[in-house]
Amino acid sequence: MRSYSFCMLTAAAALLVPCHALSCPGLPELSNIPGLGGLLRLLSKNSDCLPISPDTEFSDVLENFRQRLSRLEGALTLKGKIAKAGEKIIASNGKKADFSSALESCEKTGGTLATPMNKEENRAILGIVEQYNSYAYLGIKENETSGQFEYMNGTPLNYTNWYQYEPNGKGTEKCVEMYTNGNWNDRKCNLYRLTICEF
Ligand code: MAN
Ligand code: CA
């Protein structure tokens, strides 16, 4: 039996395959694309995770993936393992780390530090903070020259949820933590805070 992560990987690979204008929605035509034939044969043989045959319509395969993904998200959300906010998925590895290590571990898994850009996203991140009852670093940093807080890509914040009288570090607290009530505090970057990533 193939491992679950193998199934998820092949599933993701299949989803990333662009729909070829001339060959969609038939899978046999798709298998003419170099390298794809092997993947599709693998997928169709892999009856543990993909109940499809080589001549299943591509749209059926996609629909099957959509349903499986939705059930998976439902189960993980129910267990408090992930939170969803619009298209964002928020998740923690449960580990505490300083700011740069937390950021690095998020990036290693293809995400970045959770960055609330609106009320809904702030609420989703708070759900994880509550789950672990632990403050968490956010994907926000103080600009070295302007002293303004900004997103990791350098753009200005379009939403804030500062605690009263924050930020108050005046250049000495360059990172931002979320409190267990969802409010933000500027804080030193070398503390141990829960790692929460967004994907
Ligand atoms: C208090 C507040 C915060 C500050 C921390 C630093 O909690 O003044 O703004 O970040 O102390 O320890
Ligand atoms: Ca502060």
Side-chain angles (χ1 to χ4, degrees), residues 19-47:
C19 188
H20 190 281
L22 293 171
S23 56
C24 284
L27 271 182
E29 291 84 353
L30 273 178
S31 57
N32 292 332
I33 296 172
L36 195 55
L39 174 65
L40 291 171
R41 272 193 299 283
L42 243 163
L43 291 174
S44 55
K45 268 187 204 156
N46 200 349
S47 56

Side-chain angles (χ1 to χ4, degrees), residues 166 168 173 179 185-187:
E166 306 295 347
N168 65 354
E173 300 182 307
Y179 286 151
N185 173 36
D186 60 337
R187 201 72 198 264

